[in-house]
Structure formats: structure tokens, C-alpha cells
Amino acid sequence: MFRSLTLRLTLWYALIFAISSSAMLFVAYLMLTRSTQQRIEQLLLSEAAELKGLYHARGIEKIGSEFVREAEISGTHRIFYRLLSSDGRELAASDLRAWKDVGFSQRAIDSLATRDSAFESLPVSGQRHEVRVVYVQAGENAVLQIGYLPEDEERFVEDYRRVSTAVILAGLIFSGSLGWFMARRALSGVERVTEAAISISRGDVRRRVAVSNNGDEIDRLAMAFNTMLDRIDTLITNLKEVTSNVAHDLRSPLTRIRGIAETTLSGEETIAAYREMVGTVVEESDRLVGIINTMLQIAEIESGVARMAITEVDLARLVRDAYEVFHPVAEDKGIALKIAVPATPLVVAGDSARLQRVVANLLDNAVKWTRPGGAILLSAQEAPSQARLSVVDTGIGIPERDLPHIFDRFYRGDRSRSTPGNGLGLSLAQAFVRVHRGTITAESSPGKGSTFTVLLPRPSSLPTPDMTKR
Ligand code: ADP
């Protein structure tokens, strides 16, 4: 329970309140007692000054009766007056019945040699409070002693103490509840995220955290959490698709190979027929190996384990080389392949073999999907801080619904079923372009042709030549 953040925050709130309010009340208490004491001393001093004047003017007889009268007015149990000789003998006094044991301090009397007045607090038997006493030199060998019992003032201070304690206790309860309420409110969002996470971990993978849209930290956490879940969801869906596609694409050639093997076992075919069958087995096996190799290459590149051989690659030259390779193939099919490249080198830092593969895959597709009589333009040109490679064909184009998926692994357009291919060509090209921090995009008008554009970063943002990983 003590690990709960709500409880800990509540305790902190309450503790801070208790400390700060106690400190404030304590300072107020000190000020109160100090000012009360000062007031009492002031009162005693002015009383003493008055009586001293009277003593000087009228002598000891008069002062004795004044002591009695004054004490009676204020209450004989609250105040007493005495005139003492320097060695402490009582010369005159008010009614001292309520002050039986009250004595005097010889030290205080002696100290009057150097100052005008001296104060002390004396205990009185039968009283809870001490009496505050002032000594003033009234004349030669005559010291005026006035004692005052600050009962009312002390009671007031005591009341203050009691009220303060009650205030602190009530404040503790109030601040504790307020703290609990606020902490719960603040942390309710965390609770929401936790609940969602628990229910997702129990299998409810579609569950998302409710966002309250007030833009606070918890909301941002919830949104980040939901985005992360969406991303994981997409990855899992992709993984499932890829797995089922892999299974499907590997199963078809394997089934064919098995079929041929069965025929070989049971049949009594001619040698020529067997040769043909073995030829098919080799072809299917090559297809399988091709799929597996391409998948491995994509996986290696995407996971960053593939070693890149980064050098300065002249794209103009790369385009010319590709032209040399593909020109005969295009010509055979009656397609006009043209290139447009700058006369000067167009250098990027990259892995030459992999960039060649990108161009080859795009050209291969263009040739495959362009009818005889069509044309293909392969070009390389400089763009602001980038190099642009593009393959434009006048082929059959890509239907709108296929366009967003052609870079997905194993995705093949409907019309591609009868055409050789495994749906990995563009995925591989995309993986290779991305590892160069470039982009690859496709535009197409069905029936008119397609354009594939590769943008690669140039000098300032180039990967360093010793780059071995993505
Ligand atoms: P594959 O060519 O092996 O089927 P790709 O990944 O290279 O796989 O291409 C995926 C799909 O994109 C193809 O099946 C085809 O439908 C479509 N496609 C690619 N390039 C072109 C193009 N130049 N013209 C028309 N369709 C294309």
C-alpha cells in the first residue's frame, strides 16, 4: 500500500501543510508572547515611575496607603507592591495575603546600582503561572518591588495554543483529503493507461487508451501509447501477411517439385520426359532459392546487419551501364529504351551493387509491363541537394487500388499472376533505397504508363563512406 503513488503524494501534501502551518503558527506564538511580556513590563515600569514620584513627594507613610489602594483596585491577588530596604527588609507593602511565599532577589536589587530597573519571574505557591516582578530604586536605601500575575494574558496565550493545535489537526485532515483527491485525479490517467496495458497483455489487442483531449501530460502519454500500439499492430499484421505469403509462395514450387518426384517414382516415362521433369525441378528450386535469398537480403538490410560497401557512385555512369545490359532485352521485345544523363558525373555516396540492383529491378518491371511498341526513359539528374533517378514507361500502368501496396512484400497486381515474378522486386528496391536514406515513389496512370522516382541525398547529407550499417 505504501508503494501507491497516490498515498505517498497525499502524505507529502499533509506533511508539507503540517510543517508550514506549524512554523507560521509558532512564529505568531513567539511574537504574541513577546509582545504580551513587553506590554506587562511597560505597565509595571509606568506604575513604578508613578509610585516613585509619590514616594519622593509624600514619603513612606503615603506610599504605604497608596500600595493598599492600588492593589485593591487591580485585585490583591493579581498585583502586589512593596518597598524594601537595600538588604531586603520590608518597609511598606500592599495586602500580601495572597502572596505568602513571594520573596525577592538580592541580585536584582544589587543590580540597580548600575541600571534603572530590573525584572525577574518568580514562582508563587498555589499559582500555575509565575509572577513578573520589577525592581526600581525609589530612593536611598529604598527599592520599589511590584509583582504582577499575568493570568489573563497567560490564559489568552494558552487559548491560542489550543486553537492552533486544533487548526493544525483540522488542516492536516483537510490537506490530507484534498491531497488524496488531487493525487487521485492527477493519477487517474496513469490508471487508465495501466488498465489498457493490462487488458492488452491479456489478449484484447484492439484496446486503446481513452484520450480526454485536454492536452495534459497524461493525454500525451495516452496518445504516444496508442500510436505505439498502432505501430505494433501494423507490424504484427505485416508479419502475419508476410508469413502467410511466404508459406504460400514457398508451398507452390514445393508442391510442384513433389508432384514431379511422385511421377518419377511411379511412372514409366521416357528419358526425354524425365529430363524435362528434372529441368522443371531445377527451375522451381532456383525460384525457391531466389525467393529465400531476396527475403534474406531485405531482412538483413532492414535489421541493419548487412555490410554496406559505401563508395562514391557516379549515377550517370550507373545509368549508362544499365542501359547496356537492358537495351538488348528491350529491343527484343520491340520497346524503345532511352536514357537521359548529365555529361558530368552525378556522384552520390552509396553501395554501387545495391544501387545497380535498384535500377535493374525498376527496368526489369518497366520492360515486363510495357507492350511492344512502347518506350522507356531511364534518367538521372541533379535535384536540390539530391540526385534523382527515374524510370518512366508507357506500359499498362498500375490500378489505383494496387498503387499503395506495390512496395509490400509479395504483393503482385491481379494481372501479374500469369507473369513471372515473386512480388519482392520493389520491396527489395525500397529497402536498398531506404538504407541510403533516400525515397522511392511510384505514380501511374492505368493504360498510359508508370513513373518510378528514386531520390538520393547528395553531399551535405551523405552517409559517411565508412558506414557499414544503416
Ligand atoms: P513482381 O514484379 O515480381 O510481381 P514487384 O515487387 O517488382 O514484383 O512488383 C509488384 C507489382 O507492382 C507487380 O506485380 C505489378 O503488378 C506492379 N508493377 C511494378 N512495376 C510496374 C510497372 N512498371 N508497370 C506496371 N505495374 C508494375
Side-chain angles (χ1 to χ4, degrees):
M1 186 183 167
F2 281 95
R3 284 166 173 246
S4 144
L5 199 53
T6 315
L7 185 70
R8 275 187 283 166
L9 280 176
T10 308
L11 291 179
W12 273 112
Y13 274 128
L15 188 72
I16 289 170
F17 173 83
I19 291 175
S20 54
S21 57
S22 310
M24 266 166 14
L25 290 171
F26 184 65
V27 170
Y29 170 77
L30 286 184
M31 284 163 67
L32 184 74
T33 48
R34 221 180 122 77
S35 82
T36 310
Q37 181 138 337
Q38 275 173 352
R39 218 160 33 82
I40 292 171
E41 287 174 2
Q42 214 59 50
L43 185 105
L44 288 174
L45 280 177
S46 74
E47 195 87 333
E50 218 176 279
L51 289 167
K52 185 176 164 182
L54 192 73
Y55 174 68
H56 275 287
R58 314 283 293 274
I60 197 156
E61 297 298 313
K62 182 69 190 161
I63 200 123
S65 56
E66 187 61 18
F67 280 172
V68 174
R69 202 177 67 84
E70 291 268 343
E72 262 163 18
I73 294 171
S74 307
T76 49
H77 65 286
R78 290 187 68 193
I79 197 158
F80 74 85
Y81 300 88
R82 270 205 293 195
L83 193 67
L84 302 169
S85 66
S86 304
D87 53 5
R89 262 182 314 110
E90 190 178 294
L91 305 175
S94 61
D95 182 352
L96 288 183
R97 271 174 295 171
W99 307 88
K100 265 176 257 142
D101 302 328
V102 76
F104 67 94
S105 149
Q106 188 60 51
R107 207 148 56 92
I109 294 175
D110 293 345
S111 75
L112 291 178
T114 52
R115 48 188 170 149
D116 292 342
S117 58
F119 284 96
E120 68 170 349
S121 292
L122 291 176
V124 190
S125 64
Q127 289 288 355
R128 275 201 306 137
H129 309 294
E130 290 193 324
V131 58
R132 193 73 183 148
V133 180
V134 68
Y135 298 87
V136 172
Q137 194 75 49
E140 218 179 299
N141 201 23
V143 172
L144 192 57
Q145 184 197 29
I146 309 176
Y148 176 74
L149 194 63
E151 253 178 345
D152 291 348
E153 290 81 354
E154 290 286 349
R155 209 170 295 130
F156 178 70
V157 171
E158 252 167 40
D159 284 350
Y160 175 86
R161 265 203 305 262
R162 248 197 312 277
V163 170
S164 302
T165 315
V167 164
I168 291 177
L169 281 179
L172 260 181
I173 294 170
F174 177 71
S175 68
S177 339
L178 188 73
W180 176 262
F181 173 74
M182 279 167 54
R184 278 206 66 108
R185 238 183 99 93
L187 294 173
S188 67
V190 176
E191 204 90 317
R192 268 192 342 244
V193 179
T194 313
E195 268 171 28
I198 290 174
S199 102
I200 289 164
S201 66
R202 289 199 180 128
D204 181 7
V205 288
R206 297 264 145 222
R207 170 85 187 265
R208 294 292 177 270
V209 187
V211 178
S212 57
N213 279 329
N214 53 18
D216 61 11
E217 289 83 349
I218 300 290
D219 246 14
R220 293 216 300 278
L221 170 70
M223 283 194 278
F225 191 75
N226 287 346
T227 313
M228 181 191 77
L229 289 175
D230 289 343
R231 178 95 186 98
I232 292 174
D233 204 33
T234 317
L235 286 176
I236 291 174
T237 315
N238 280 352
L239 195 69
K240 278 186 192 155
E241 260 171 37
V242 168
T243 317
S244 79
N245 285 336
V246 170
H248 180 266
D249 274 66
L250 295 187
R251 197 172 52 189
S252 315
L254 276 175
T255 313
R256 280 196 288 276
I257 291 172
R258 191 178 184 284
I260 291 169
E262 244 177 297
T263 322
T264 320
L265 278 178
S266 59
E268 286 150 19
E269 306 284 341
T270 63
I271 287 289
Y274 280 133
R275 265 186 204 287
E276 200 180 310
M277 282 191 260
V278 172
T280 313
V281 168
V282 171
E283 244 173 57
E284 295 290 354
S285 306
D286 284 350
R287 213 172 103 72
L288 275 175
V289 173
I291 291 177
I292 291 165
N293 279 345
T294 313
M295 284 198 55
L296 280 177
Q297 285 186 53
I298 297 176
E300 275 175 10
I301 282 283
E302 287 190 343
S303 61
V305 294
R307 288 208 139 245
M308 299 279 288
I310 301 289
T311 53
E312 290 194 343
V313 182
D314 175 9
L315 291 183
R317 179 147 181 214
L318 192 133
V319 163
R320 278 187 224 107
D321 291 348
Y323 174 80
E324 295 303 328
V325 177
F326 277 85
H327 182 245
V329 191
E331 205 173 37
D332 279 354
K333 205 179 161 187
I335 298 168
L337 174 62
K338 293 201 179 73
I339 56 169
V341 286
T344 51
L346 179 56
V347 178
V348 295
D351 183 322
S352 166
R354 286 179 165 119
L355 290 176
Q356 274 170 5
R357 183 70 189 268
V358 172
V359 174
N361 282 8
L362 294 180
L363 274 181
D364 192 47
N365 278 349
V367 172
K368 199 156 63 176
W369 303 107
T370 303
R371 295 201 181 91
I376 298 169
L377 175 67
L378 169 61
S379 64
Q381 63 199 123
E382 195 170 345
S385 73
Q386 286 177 317
R388 181 206 305 268
L389 267 174
S390 65
V391 180
V392 184
D393 65 49
T394 59
I396 62 166
I398 305 164
E400 217 174 302
R401 63 166 196 284
D402 287 344
L403 204 54
H405 305 290
I406 55 171
F407 292 102
D408 295 351
R409 266 169 254 189
F410 294 106
Y411 190 86
R412 309 196 69 209
D414 282 343
R415 294 157 311 168
S416 321
R417 301 281 165 235
S418 52
T419 326
N422 51 27
L424 288 174
L426 288 179
S427 314
L428 186 71
Q430 187 182 53
F432 283 176
V433 170
R434 281 190 178 162
V435 79
H436 284 86
R437 295 184 200 151
T439 57
I440 180 167
T441 48
E443 288 159 69
S444 187
S445 320
K448 290 194 184 136
S450 315
T451 301
F452 284 82
T453 310
V454 174
L455 288 173
L456 295 169
R458 289 204 68 212
S460 60
S461 49
L462 289 182
T464 49
D466 62 340
M467 180 178 107
T468 51
K469 286 189 171 185
R470 186 144 56 136

